[in-house]
Amino acid sequence: MTAPLLAQRPSKALVIGLVVSGILALLVLALMLISGGPAGFALSAVLAVAPLPVLLAAVLSLDRLEPEPKLHLAFAFAWGAGVAVVVAVGFTLLGQQLFVRAGYGAAVAENMGTVLLAPVIEEALKGSALLLLLRRRREIDGLTDGIVYASMAGLGFAAVENVGYYLLAFGEDGVGGAIQLFVLRGLIDPLGHPVYTSMIGLGVAYALTSRSPARFAAIPLGYLGAVFLHALWNGSATTGSLAWLGVAYLVIMAALVLLIVVTVVERRHLVGKMAVYLPGYRPTGLVTDQDVRMLSTLSARKAARRWARGAGLGRAMSDYQQAATELTMLHLRAERRGMDPARFAVERDAYLGAMAHARRW
C-alpha cells in the first residue's frame, strides 16, 4: 500500500506501451483465430489460459511483502504478450530465411531458429520490459522485484505463444495432439519462460540495488543465463531425447529453486531490517516495542494479521504493516543510493501518516 501522497502518476510512455502491446496481442490472437478456425482456436485458448491463474498467483505471491504497482505489472505482462511476441516472430522468421539463402536446408534453418535465434531474440525482447522500467527506478527495490517483473513478461509471452503451438498441434493431430502438447508445455514446464527471463530480472535488479563498481555487468550476464536456459530446453526438445529433456528440466528446476531461495532470503532480510530502523520512531507513538517484534519476523506478522482479522481489524493491520514495510524500504533506498533530505522527509512523513491512519490497537 503506497501512501496516496507518494503515488506516482503513470507516465505517458508506460500507458502508451501498455495500449500498443495489448493491441498487438489481440491482433496476433485474431490472426490465429482466422488461420486456425474457431474450434481449434477455442481449444488452444482454453489450454493456454487454464494454468494462468495459478501461475499468476504464484508469481504475485512473491510480491506480497512490498507489492508493485498494478499498472507496471500489467505493462510487463502485456509487453511480453504483444510487442515481444510480434517482434520475436518477425526476427526469427527473417533469420531463418537468411539461413535458407545461405544454402542451408529448410529443416536446418528451422532448427537453427528454434535452438539459436528464438532464445537470443525472445529473451532480449522479454527482458527489454525490465530495461523500459528502469526509468521508474524506485519501483525496483530488490532482486525479488526484478524476478516478479520478468516473470510477468515471461507469462504474457508464453500465454500467446502457447495458443499458437496448441493450434499447430491441433491442425496436425487434432484434439489429442493439442492436449499432448499441453501436458508438456502447460503442466510439466509451465514456468519455462518466466524462469528464463527472471535471470535478466536478477541482473537488472542487482545493477540497480548494488554498490559494486561492476554491477551493470550483471545485466548482460543475466541475459546470457536466460539465453542458455532457453536454448538448453529448446535444443533438448529438438533432439527428441527424453534423457536430454530430463537434463534440461532438472537444470531449469535448479534455476527455479535458486529464484525461490533469493526471494525468501531477501524477504527475511527486509523484515529483519525493520528491527533496525523502526525503533527510531518510538517517540512518534506509532511504533512500540511490541509493534517492532510483530513486524520483524514473518511468523509474527502473519500471527498479527490473524489476530487482527478476529478483532475486525484485518485491513487496518495489513495497511499498517505495508506502510511500515514501505518506510523500511525508504531507509534502505536512502542507504544504498543516497536521497535528498527534503524528499526523504516528505516520503517518511507520508508513510508515518498512513501508519497513524491504520493503527487502531
Coordinates of all heavy atoms in Angstrom, one line a residue, residues 12-45:
K12 N 3.3 8.7 -19.5 CA 2.6 8.5 -20.8 C 3.2 7.4 -21.6 O 2.5 6.6 -22.3 CB 2.7 9.8 -21.6 CG 1.9 11.0 -21.1 CD 2.0 12.2 -22.0 CE 1.2 13.4 -21.4 NZ 1.3 14.6 -22.2
A13 N 4.5 7.3 -21.5 CA 5.2 6.2 -22.2 C 4.7 4.8 -21.7 O 4.5 3.9 -22.5 CB 6.7 6.3 -22.0
L14 N 4.5 4.7 -20.4 CA 4.1 3.4 -19.9 C 2.7 3.1 -20.3 O 2.4 2.0 -20.7 CB 4.1 3.5 -18.3 CG 3.9 2.2 -17.6 CD1 5.1 1.3 -17.8 CD2 3.7 2.4 -16.1
V15 N 1.8 4.1 -20.3 CA 0.4 3.9 -20.8 C 0.4 3.5 -22.3 O -0.3 2.6 -22.7 CB -0.5 5.1 -20.5 CG1 -1.8 4.9 -21.1 CG2 -0.6 5.3 -19.0
I16 N 1.2 4.3 -23.0 CA 1.2 4.0 -24.5 C 1.7 2.6 -24.8 O 1.2 1.9 -25.6 CB 2.1 5.1 -25.2 CG1 1.4 6.4 -25.2 CG2 2.3 4.7 -26.7 CD1 2.2 7.6 -25.7
G17 N 2.8 2.2 -24.0 CA 3.4 0.9 -24.2 C 2.4 -0.2 -23.8 O 2.3 -1.2 -24.5
L18 N 1.6 0.0 -22.8 CA 0.6 -0.9 -22.4 C -0.5 -1.1 -23.5 O -0.9 -2.2 -23.8 CB -0.1 -0.5 -21.1 CG -1.2 -1.4 -20.5 CD1 -0.7 -2.8 -20.3 CD2 -1.7 -0.7 -19.2
V19 N -1.0 0.1 -24.0 CA -2.0 0.0 -25.0 C -1.5 -0.6 -26.3 O -2.2 -1.5 -26.9 CB -2.5 1.5 -25.3 CG1 -3.5 1.5 -26.5 CG2 -3.2 2.0 -24.1
V20 N -0.4 -0.2 -26.8 CA 0.2 -0.8 -28.0 C 0.4 -2.3 -27.9 O 0.1 -3.1 -28.8 CB 1.5 0.0 -28.4 CG1 2.2 -0.8 -29.5 CG2 1.2 1.4 -28.8
S21 N 1.0 -2.7 -26.7 CA 1.2 -4.1 -26.5 C -0.1 -4.9 -26.5 O -0.2 -6.0 -27.1 CB 2.0 -4.3 -25.2 OG 3.3 -3.7 -25.2
G22 N -1.1 -4.3 -25.8 CA -2.4 -5.0 -25.8 C -3.0 -5.2 -27.1 O -3.5 -6.2 -27.5
I23 N -2.9 -4.1 -27.9 CA -3.5 -4.2 -29.3 C -2.8 -5.2 -30.1 O -3.4 -6.0 -30.9 CB -3.4 -2.8 -30.0 CG1 -4.4 -1.8 -29.3 CG2 -3.7 -2.9 -31.4 CD1 -4.3 -0.4 -29.7
L24 N -1.4 -5.2 -30.0 CA -0.7 -6.2 -30.8 C -1.0 -7.6 -30.4 O -1.1 -8.5 -31.3 CB 0.8 -6.0 -30.6 CG 1.4 -4.7 -31.4 CD1 2.9 -4.5 -31.0 CD2 1.2 -4.9 -32.9
A25 N -1.2 -7.9 -29.1 CA -1.5 -9.2 -28.6 C -2.9 -9.6 -29.2 O -3.1 -10.8 -29.6 CB -1.5 -9.3 -27.1
L26 N -3.8 -8.7 -29.2 CA -5.2 -9.0 -29.7 C -5.1 -9.3 -31.2 O -5.8 -10.2 -31.7 CB -6.1 -7.9 -29.4 CG -6.5 -7.7 -28.0 CD1 -7.4 -6.4 -27.8 CD2 -7.2 -8.9 -27.4
L27 N -4.3 -8.5 -31.9 CA -4.1 -8.8 -33.4 C -3.5 -10.1 -33.7 O -4.0 -10.8 -34.6 CB -3.3 -7.7 -34.0 CG -3.9 -6.3 -34.1 CD1 -2.8 -5.3 -34.6 CD2 -5.1 -6.3 -35.1
V28 N -2.5 -10.5 -32.9 CA -2.0 -11.9 -33.1 C -3.0 -12.9 -32.8 O -3.1 -13.9 -33.6 CB -0.7 -12.0 -32.2 CG1 -0.3 -13.5 -32.2 CG2 0.4 -11.1 -32.6
L29 N -3.8 -12.8 -31.8 CA -4.8 -13.8 -31.5 C -5.9 -13.8 -32.5 O -6.4 -14.9 -32.9 CB -5.4 -13.5 -30.1 CG -4.5 -13.7 -28.9 CD1 -5.1 -13.1 -27.6 CD2 -4.1 -15.1 -28.7
A30 N -6.2 -12.6 -33.1 CA -7.2 -12.6 -34.2 C -6.7 -13.3 -35.4 O -7.5 -14.0 -36.1 CB -7.5 -11.1 -34.5
L31 N -5.4 -13.1 -35.7 CA -4.9 -13.8 -36.9 C -4.9 -15.4 -36.7 O -5.1 -16.1 -37.6 CB -3.4 -13.4 -37.1 CG -3.3 -11.9 -37.7 CD1 -1.8 -11.5 -37.8 CD2 -3.9 -11.9 -39.1
M32 N -4.6 -15.8 -35.4 CA -4.6 -17.2 -35.1 C -6.1 -17.7 -35.3 O -6.3 -18.8 -35.8 CB -4.1 -17.4 -33.7 CG -2.7 -17.2 -33.5 SD -2.2 -17.5 -31.7 CE -0.5 -17.1 -31.7
L33 N -7.0 -17.0 -34.8 CA -8.4 -17.4 -35.0 C -8.8 -17.5 -36.4 O -9.4 -18.5 -36.8 CB -9.3 -16.3 -34.3 CG -10.9 -16.5 -34.5 CD1 -11.3 -17.8 -34.0 CD2 -11.6 -15.3 -33.9
I34 N -8.4 -16.6 -37.3 CA -8.7 -16.6 -38.7 C -8.0 -17.8 -39.4 O -8.6 -18.6 -40.2 CB -8.3 -15.3 -39.4 CG1 -9.2 -14.2 -38.8 CG2 -8.5 -15.4 -40.9 CD1 -8.7 -12.8 -39.3
S35 N -6.8 -18.0 -39.0 CA -6.0 -19.1 -39.7 C -6.3 -20.5 -39.2 O -6.3 -21.5 -39.9 CB -4.5 -18.8 -39.5 OG -4.1 -18.9 -38.2
G36 N -6.7 -20.6 -37.9 CA -6.9 -21.9 -37.3 C -8.3 -22.3 -37.2 O -8.6 -23.5 -36.9
G37 N -9.2 -21.4 -37.4 CA -10.6 -21.7 -37.2 C -11.1 -21.6 -35.8 O -10.3 -21.7 -34.9
P38 N -12.4 -21.4 -35.6 CA -12.9 -21.2 -34.3 C -12.8 -22.4 -33.3 O -12.5 -22.2 -32.1 CB -14.4 -20.9 -34.5 CG -14.7 -21.4 -35.9 CD -13.5 -21.3 -36.6
A39 N -12.9 -23.6 -33.8 CA -12.9 -24.8 -32.9 C -11.4 -25.0 -32.4 O -11.2 -25.1 -31.2 CB -13.3 -26.0 -33.7
G40 N -10.5 -25.0 -33.3 CA -9.1 -25.1 -32.9 C -8.6 -24.0 -32.0 O -7.9 -24.2 -31.0
F41 N -9.0 -22.8 -32.4 CA -8.6 -21.6 -31.6 C -9.2 -21.6 -30.2 O -8.5 -21.3 -29.2 CB -9.0 -20.3 -32.3 CG -8.6 -19.1 -31.5 CD1 -7.4 -18.6 -31.6 CD2 -9.6 -18.4 -30.7 CE1 -7.0 -17.4 -30.9 CE2 -9.3 -17.3 -30.0 CZ -8.0 -16.8 -30.1
A42 N -10.5 -22.0 -30.1 CA -11.1 -22.1 -28.8 C -10.4 -23.0 -27.9 O -10.2 -22.8 -26.7 CB -12.6 -22.4 -28.9
L43 N -10.1 -24.2 -28.4 CA -9.4 -25.3 -27.6 C -8.1 -24.8 -27.2 O -7.7 -24.9 -26.0 CB -9.3 -26.6 -28.4 CG -8.5 -27.7 -27.7 CD1 -9.2 -28.1 -26.4 CD2 -8.3 -28.9 -28.6
S44 N -7.3 -24.2 -28.1 CA -6.0 -23.7 -27.9 C -6.0 -22.6 -26.8 O -5.1 -22.6 -25.9 CB -5.3 -23.2 -29.2 OG -5.3 -24.3 -30.1
A45 N -6.9 -21.7 -27.0 CA -7.0 -20.6 -26.0 C -7.3 -21.1 -24.6 O -6.7 -20.6 -23.6 CB -8.1 -19.6 -26.4

